[in-house]
Amino acid sequence: MQNKGLIKLFAILFGLVSLYQLSFTFLANKVEDDAVSYAETKGTDKSARQKATLERKYLDSVANKEIINLGITKYSYNDVKDKEMNLGLDLKGGINAILQVSVKEVLKSLSNDSKNVVFNQALAAADERQKNSNATYLDLFFEEFEKVAGDTKLSNPSIFGTKALSDKISFDEVNSTVKETLQEEINSSIGTAFEVLRSRIDKFGVTQPNIQRIGNSGRIQIELPGAKDIERVTKLITSKAELQFWEVYTNAEVQNFFFSANTKVAELLKDTTVLEKAVDTTKKDDIDDLLGETKDSTNVAQKNLFTYFFPNIAQSQQQMSSLVGQARVLDTAKVNDLLNRKEVRALLPNDLKYVKFLWDYKSNKGKDGTDLIGLYAIKGSRNGKANIEGDVILDAAQVFDQLNKPEVSMTMNSSGSKQWAKLTGDNTGGFVAVVLDEYVYTAPTVPGAITGGRTSISGGSMTIAEAEDIATVLKAGKLPAAARIIQAEVVGPSLGQESINASISSFGLAIILVLLWMVLYYGKAGIYADIALLINILFIFGILASFNAVLTLPGIAGIILTIGMSVDANVIIFERIKEGLFKKKGLKQSVEEGFSVKGALSAIIDANITTLLTGIILYVFGTGPIKGFALTLMIGIATSLFTAVFITRLLIDRSVNKGNNLTFNTSISKGWFQNINVEFLKKRKIAYVISGAIIIAGIVSIFSIGLKQGVDFKGGRSYVVRFDQAMSATEVAGTLKDAFGTAPEVKTYGSDNQLKITTVYKIDEEGIEIDDQVQNTLFTGLKSYLGDTTYENFKPGFEKQGAGVMSYMKVEPTIADDIKTSALYAVLGSLLVVFLYILLRFRKVSFSIGAVVAVFHDVLIVLGVFSITYSFMPFDMEIGQSFIAAILTVVGYSLNDTVVIFDRIREFAGTHSNWKYSEVVDKALSSTLGRTINTSLTTLLVMLAIFLFGGDSIKGFMFALIVGVAVGTYSSLFVATPIMFDTSKKEEKNN
């Protein structure tokens, strides 16, 4: 081998760089371990929230302190943190969300909230079509507009021909031109939303956040590994930051309306079931006292407005307040519905005609522990515009008031200062509300005109974190349109740590098994292969750390798969060397031929390229963890090729030059798989029957039983909930049926005290309020099993000491369709690319057909096995993105195996031209049988280690790989090659 010195130098330098890059991860972990120790020592109430706050406090205090000095350079914790290896959500915990910027809202804004009937019909139709379409909302709107437009054009003054757009859309402009302008405006709005969100996230304090646009779809992906306060993150990224200042009605001014409304609501609800007893007796009794009524609490009461809403009655000037009443948090939707009914709104006097009822931003505990939230009556206007809008704010910051309580201080521009002075002056002695995103943050009494352009947002229970977040969104600016979460994955830090521990255990066991097997099978040569393998692992992790790539649980599986491939390359080389030794060619010549293109190198390159192509397809079409898997797979292919071919060669050449007698076997493995002569082709009809029967059984099962689609394919919400005791999935499903209306899907997930609960309850409704309602409904339904766990501790995020949600996933049906489409393209794309590569490489259609038929065979069998077994297997077997990654990996592995065999067939056909083609094929298969079985056993050992000792979330993924590897090994021998042989005979007849 030439350039040995250069290869040695490169390997040493690359190894040192890898160790250097990985050292930052070890240093960062050490500081973070110190932070955990500090939090545990200083914590008083042992709550997860307090622990997280203390950890953050410690890390902030050492952020810029020097922790390593190399003489020529120094590094602080922040510097080290920037260079450490990134861990994905499944290993570190956090949130991964895809936000959809509302194109509909942008269009309505551009049209100045047009009331044009044609425009609104097109929007409504586009809303409906988007539920089952992969097209963009804008394209759907255009199509629907054309259907109902008639003579109406988009440039109509009542639609987009407004004064605000007069410089971009001229009167009576053709629709096609208007469409282009609207597309530009929407792209600009999405770009603005992206920048606003990035600014907010940068100020949030999470290390290594990731935010990126997804094409021109109006979707933005946000990943915040390590985030623990999930509720806070969600509000931060979905808050539109629309700040308004409104005049406020007092409770005295609206109480007569509430009394009238109460009577009207009683009439509207008189046919509904009456209450046995008011739920909140304390509040009901208070209202009865104020109204001068006394009733026996056991009497049956008709439902009315005050069943759900508790007005704040003002019987004197001292009781005047901006708070007009309260309701239970769970009843807010009902109160909104009742107050907005046309029969109730008709009772409003003229001076209250435009009143807007808005809720407080935060709930509080009632006397009986119920969560109550306040209601305010805002003095609305005909045009819906506030007295002062948030665009007058120049700056905002979190500060402390005179009582050392957190608040948000705001500075206004000159125009805002004048408006604020007038508004406060006109309402001296009254109230002014500060409203952010339709929630009231404060509505204090106005002592007099406030000049100077300064004001503040404060609340009695406002926390420092809330004040910081409000200041952040105000400074970052408001979103041009609402952004809702259409897909979210939340992993709690406890589950992430468990995944790390399980991954390390399974990874270590897998490596030990492979190392021992190679030594057992190949002796001293196996030790050289093991050294190359360990160097390969160092290189993989070094590259991941160097490029700040994200390591995920499927990514670790990808690394372990590349370990199998690295071993495969050495196995192919060693088997070729053994063939040379068997033919008495001598050790040096056998080694030379084994590492040559004519020897093993051609097959190794072909096999790795097919797997690389699969990895590229996965990376292009995959998202989140799938990208992580594809990236580590591609990196592993490159490093495996280098270490297996060059590092192993260096070590073997050194041994040969020293005169060592390498035998490439041991006393145990000597003679294994030698002198094998199996007539595979004569058995192909039996194989066809066996494969056909298994495939038919699988297809029948798929069409009758079906496949268990994951949330990411069908839409819905999925919660992994841990309990303090063993649980019955059937019992919990029955209990939750009452809460959700229909029974959710409940299955034991890992240990018997952990359940995976999947529901489509309210999945078609939008907003984080709906997400909160569903989660609260789940908590209420499970309350009898949760002991003394509070709702705050039940919610995902923060470390869990007892029962609670360990992870959570939500996918709206619209994006679920897109995910399924992308998955289909990924599978078909990989098959097409591989078909073309094999055709190009082997120059025969029969080779391509054999390989692709074998791949279809493998995929159908894996699907059939999943369909037949998912109902009784003790682990999750959902068909989702991870399953598609497993299928594509099976495709890559099967092709790898097949290409090695095809390469040997091509070689034998060239060197044994006088043999019958059937003999060529049988001999080639027999000669590669040792390599095929050896590689398959090694890979299966690795996968079994991960399957048995890895995390629960990866068991289904690994099961698919195990089945796929076993079937792929079989198909390369009994399907791909026989199909290739039969189609070759047809080719010859046609020619």
Side-chain angles (χ1 to χ4, degrees):
M1 184 175 68
Q2 297 178 342
N3 301 318
K4 289 184 180 179
L6 187 62
I7 292 170
K8 284 181 184 177
L9 178 64
F10 177 80
I12 291 169
L13 290 177
F14 201 3
L16 290 173
V17 169
S18 296
L19 288 170
Y20 172 74
Q21 290 292 341
L22 289 171
S23 67
F24 293 112
T25 302
F26 295 122
L27 289 168
N29 287 340
K30 183 180 182 304
V31 175
E32 286 160 11
D33 288 342
D34 292 340
V36 171
S37 300
Y38 171 83
E40 289 174 348
T41 303
K42 296 293 183 180
T44 54
D45 58 9
K46 302 299 180 184
S47 72
R49 183 180 292 274
Q50 185 192 60
K51 183 181 177 184
T53 302
L54 289 169
E55 285 178 26
R56 185 74 260 159
K57 179 181 177 182
Y58 179 89
L59 294 175
D60 287 342
S61 69
V62 300
N64 297 307
K65 287 187 177 180
E66 176 188 312
I67 62 171
I68 184 172
N69 188 338
L70 299 178
I72 56 174
T73 184
K74 301 175 183 178
Y75 291 103
S76 65
Y77 168 70
N78 278 349
D79 297 328
V80 168
K81 193 68 180 171
D82 288 338
K83 294 177 179 292
E84 76 165 346
M85 184 188 300
N86 296 340
L87 296 179
L89 301 186
D90 47 7
L91 293 175
K92 192 174 184 178
I95 180 170
N96 183 337
I98 295 179
L99 281 77
Q100 175 75 63
V101 176
S102 176
V103 175
K104 176 183 178 180
E105 193 169 317
V106 175
L107 290 173
K108 291 183 75 172
S109 176
L110 291 172
S111 72
N112 198 21
D113 201 14
S114 171
K115 300 297 186 288
N116 184 284
V117 175
V118 173
F119 173 73
N120 283 287
Q121 280 181 354
L123 287 177
D127 284 344
E128 197 61 34
R129 279 189 61 190
Q130 193 182 36
K131 295 177 182 177
N132 301 301
S133 174
N134 295 325
T136 66
Y137 186 89
L138 187 61
D139 287 339
L140 294 175
F141 167 74
F142 287 153
E143 290 173 15
E144 295 303 323
F145 186 86
E146 294 289 350
K147 290 178 184 178
V148 297
D151 296 331
T152 306
K153 293 184 177 181
L154 290 168
S155 58
N156 187 294
S158 66
I159 307 178
F160 296 115
T162 61
K163 288 183 179 180
L165 292 173
S166 59
D167 58 332
K168 297 176 182 177
I169 299 175
S170 59
F171 175 71
D172 213 29
E173 195 166 336
V174 295
N175 282 352
S176 58
T177 309
V178 177
K179 289 177 184 178
E180 292 175 5
T181 303
L182 292 176
Q183 184 66 68
E184 290 174 4
E185 291 295 314
I186 287 169
N187 288 342
S188 175
S189 295
I190 294 167
T192 301
F194 177 79
E195 293 303 326
V196 168
L197 288 169
R198 183 165 64 180
S199 178
R200 292 182 187 180
I201 289 167
D202 286 344
K203 295 178 177 69
F204 185 67
V206 174
T207 55
Q208 299 161 334
N210 177 37
I211 175 170
Q212 56 187 356
R213 289 179 62 172
I214 303 176
N216 292 316
S217 62
R219 291 172 181 167
I220 298 171
Q221 184 170 20
I222 293 172
E223 188 169 17
L224 301 176
K228 296 180 180 180
D229 195 339
I230 304 303
E231 189 174 9
R232 181 184 173 194
V233 171
T234 303
K235 287 181 179 177
L236 184 74
I237 61 179
T238 57
S239 170
K240 192 177 176 184
E242 189 170 8
L243 182 67
Q244 298 172 324
F245 298 86
W246 293 93
E247 294 177 283
V248 180
Y249 292 111
T250 66
N251 53 341
E253 290 174 296
V254 296
Q255 65 186 25
N256 288 335
F257 161 70
F258 284 136
F259 293 146
S260 301
N262 186 54
T263 304
K264 174 60 67 175
V265 169
E267 293 176 13
L268 296 173
L269 299 180
K270 64 183 177 182
D271 294 328
T272 62
T273 306
V274 296
L275 290 174
E276 292 291 330
K277 184 188 276 190
V279 178
D280 189 334
T281 56
T282 303
K283 285 288 178 183
K284 190 70 175 68
D285 291 343
D286 288 346
I287 293 169
D288 289 342
D289 291 341
L290 290 168
L291 298 178
E293 298 178 8
T294 56
K295 292 184 179 180
D296 187 346
S297 62
T298 60
N299 289 346
V300 175
Q302 166 66 46
K303 286 183 179 178
N304 52 38
L305 176 63
F306 294 165
T307 303
Y308 309 99
F309 173 69
F310 318 122
N312 183 19
I313 307 300
Q315 293 184 321
S316 66
Q317 187 69 27
Q318 286 73 28
Q319 294 177 320
M320 293 271 286
S321 171
S322 58
L323 184 72
V324 298
Q326 289 181 301
R328 302 178 193 86
V329 171
L330 292 175
D331 290 337
T332 52
K334 184 70 175 178
V335 174
N336 287 341
D337 172 60
L338 294 175
L339 290 178
N340 286 320
R341 291 194 183 187
K342 61 182 180 179
E343 299 92 341
V344 176
R345 295 287 299 185
L347 300 174
L348 288 167
N350 285 334
D351 58 335
L352 295 176
K353 187 175 181 180
Y354 299 111
V355 66
K356 287 174 60 174
F357 293 108
L358 298 181
W359 297 102
D360 202 335
Y361 84 103
K362 196 173 184 180
S363 63
N364 57 81
K365 292 288 183 184
K367 293 179 181 178
D368 61 352
T370 306
D371 284 329
L372 299 173
I373 192 165
L375 186 70
Y376 297 84
I378 304 300
K379 291 186 180 180
S381 59
R382 180 189 292 272
N383 61 10
K385 295 286 186 181
N387 301 90
I388 305 175
E389 300 281 351
D391 53 6
V392 302
I393 301 299
L394 287 176
D395 193 19
Q398 182 268 313
V399 296
F400 293 95
D401 63 14
Q402 294 176 342
L403 299 175
N404 205 34
K405 291 184 177 181
E407 65 177 18
V408 181
S409 174
M410 297 178 291
T411 306
M412 299 181 179
N413 59 24
S414 57
S415 172
S417 299
K418 293 175 184 176
Q419 294 176 56
W420 184 236
K422 184 178 187 308
L423 179 63
T424 51
D426 292 345
N427 286 275
T428 299
F431 303 92
V432 171
V434 181
V435 178
L436 183 63
D437 290 336
E438 297 294 290
Y439 285 96
V440 177
Y441 275 74
T442 184
T445 305
V446 180
I450 302 174
T451 59
R454 280 191 171 275
T455 188
S456 64
I457 300 176
S458 60
S461 57
M462 181 180 288
T463 65
I464 294 175
E466 287 169 344
E468 287 174 345
D469 289 346
I470 295 167
T472 293
V473 297
L474 291 178
K475 283 193 291 185
K478 71 177 183 179
L479 291 172
R484 77 176 195 276
I485 296 175
I486 57 174
Q487 180 182 348
E489 182 178 8
V490 175
V491 178
S494 299
L495 197 60
Q497 187 59 50
E498 289 170 11
S499 296
I500 291 175
N501 296 338
S503 299
I504 291 172
S505 301
S506 61
F507 188 71
L509 179 60
I511 291 173
I512 290 170
L513 288 173
V514 171
L515 296 178
L516 289 175
W517 175 258
M518 291 300 287
V519 174
L520 174 70
Y521 195 85
Y522 290 110
K524 193 172 183 180
I527 295 175
Y528 296 149
D530 287 347
I531 293 170
L533 179 59
L534 293 173
I535 293 172
N536 179 29
I537 294 169
L538 174 64
F539 285 177
I540 292 173
F541 282 103
I543 291 171
L544 288 172
S546 299
F547 291 96
N548 282 327
V550 178
L551 182 65
T552 61
L553 208 52
I556 289 176
I559 292 172
I560 295 174
L561 186 62
T562 61
I563 291 172
M565 293 178 63
S566 178
V567 169
D568 180 44
N570 279 136
V571 168
I572 295 172
I573 292 168
F574 290 174
E575 290 299 317
R576 293 304 290 260
I577 293 172
K578 284 167 69 176
E579 285 179 23
L581 293 173
F582 185 73
K583 294 175 183 178
K584 310 296 184 184
K585 289 186 177 180
L587 180 58
K588 199 162 188 176
Q589 185 182 350
S590 297
V591 169
E592 192 69 37
E593 287 182 0
F595 281 96
S596 68
V597 174
K598 290 183 179 180
L601 196 57
S602 174
I604 292 170
I605 291 172
D606 283 336
N608 278 275
I609 286 177
T610 53
T611 310
L612 179 66
L613 290 172
T614 304
I616 291 170
I617 296 291
L618 262 178
Y619 190 80
V620 170
F621 289 99
T623 57
I626 308 307
K627 274 190 183 291
F629 172 77
L631 182 63
T632 53
L633 185 64
M634 290 188 288
I635 291 171
I637 288 168
T639 57
S640 296
L641 200 58
F642 174 78
T643 54
V645 174
F646 294 108
I647 301 297
T648 308
R649 178 70 186 275
L650 282 173
L651 295 169
I652 287 178
D653 279 355
R654 183 169 175 270
S655 180
V656 171
N657 292 334
K658 282 185 173 182
N660 293 333
N661 183 27
L662 288 174
T663 58
F664 293 88
N665 56 36
T666 64
S667 57
I668 298 173
S669 63
K670 190 174 183 179
W672 287 7
F673 304 112
Q674 289 183 3
N675 300 319
I676 294 175
N677 189 15
V678 180
E679 294 180 327
F680 287 94
L681 292 179
K682 285 187 177 180
K683 299 173 176 59
R684 69 184 187 277
K685 290 183 180 178
I686 298 173
Y688 289 165
V689 171
I690 293 171
S691 293
I694 296 172
I695 288 171
I696 289 169
I699 290 173
V700 169
S701 178
I702 290 169
F703 281 98
S704 57
I705 301 174
L707 291 161
K708 183 185 177 185
Q709 291 190 62
V711 166
D712 46 355
F713 270 18
K714 68 181 179 183
R717 293 179 178 85
S718 181
Y719 304 84
V720 174
V721 184
R722 183 172 294 172
F723 300 85
D724 292 327
Q725 69 279 346
M727 299 297 297
S728 165
T730 307
E731 181 185 337
V732 171
T735 303
L736 289 175
K737 182 178 180 180
D738 296 333
F740 289 133
T742 57
E745 186 179 278
V746 182
K747 188 166 185 176
T748 300
Y749 189 79
S751 56
D752 58 6
N753 70 327
Q754 199 163 262
L755 298 177
K756 187 171 187 178
I757 301 168
T758 304
T759 178
V760 292
Y761 179 62
K762 291 193 174 184
I763 193 60
D764 290 322
E765 298 182 38
E766 301 172 2
I768 59 173
E769 298 86 1
I770 300 298
D771 295 336
D772 291 340
Q773 282 183 27
V774 175
Q775 191 170 259
N776 208 309
T777 302
L778 176 67
F779 172 74
T780 304
L782 295 174
K783 192 74 176 70
S784 59
Y785 305 109
L786 297 174
D788 57 358
T789 300
T790 64
Y791 180 61
E792 190 66 27
N793 292 330
F794 174 78
K795 291 187 293 187
F798 297 111
E799 294 179 8
K800 303 291 181 189
Q801 301 299 325
V805 177
M806 306 303 290
S807 68
Y808 158 68
M809 188 173 186
K810 167 199 169 182
V811 181
E812 289 192 0
T814 302
I815 195 171
D817 290 336
D818 295 350
I819 292 170
K820 275 195 289 190
T821 303
S822 295
L824 180 63
Y825 287 157
V827 174
L828 295 178
S830 64
L831 291 176
L832 177 62
V833 168
V834 168
F835 178 89
L836 294 174
Y837 175 77
I838 292 177
L839 180 62
L840 179 69
R841 191 71 181 86
F842 293 97
R843 307 284 179 168
K844 281 190 176 183
V845 174
S846 57
F847 281 89
S848 291
I849 292 172
V852 172
V853 168
V855 164
F856 269 111
H857 166 277
D858 301 344
V859 170
L860 286 173
I861 288 181
V862 174
L863 285 169
V865 168
F866 264 61
S867 175
I868 293 168
T869 62
Y870 80 80
S871 60
F872 59 82
M873 280 293 187
F875 51 86
D876 201 28
M877 294 181 67
E878 291 182 345
I879 306 297
Q881 291 186 87
S882 293
F883 178 80
I884 296 302
I887 287 292
L888 287 176
T889 306
V890 168
V891 168
Y893 183 87
S894 178
L895 288 168
N896 184 311
D897 222 4
T898 302
V899 166
V900 171
I901 292 171
F902 283 180
D903 198 78
R904 183 57 70 91
I905 292 171
R906 181 180 57 184
E907 179 190 338
F908 273 32
T911 56
H912 303 288
S913 55
N914 58 330
W915 289 4
K916 287 176 63 177
Y917 195 52
S918 60
E919 187 179 0
V920 168
V921 172
D922 281 337
K923 292 286 186 182
L925 284 169
S926 296
S927 68
T928 58
L929 191 60
R931 170 263 161 199
T932 301
I933 294 176
N934 200 348
T935 299
S936 298
L937 284 175
T938 306
T939 308
L940 284 171
L941 275 174
V942 168
M943 290 178 175
L944 280 168
I946 308 171
F947 176 75
L948 294 172
F949 302 102
D952 296 324
S953 62
I954 207 170
K955 285 193 184 297
F957 176 77
M958 294 311 302
F959 182 73
L961 288 181
I962 289 169
V963 174
V965 167
V967 173
T969 303
Y970 159 82
S971 70
S972 62
L973 295 169
F974 293 102
V975 178
T977 308
I979 291 289
M980 180 277 297
F981 176 76
D982 287 337
T983 51
S984 293
K985 289 196 299 182
K986 290 180 180 179
E987 276 187 276
E988 289 174 10
K989 286 180 182 178
N990 292 334
N991 291 333

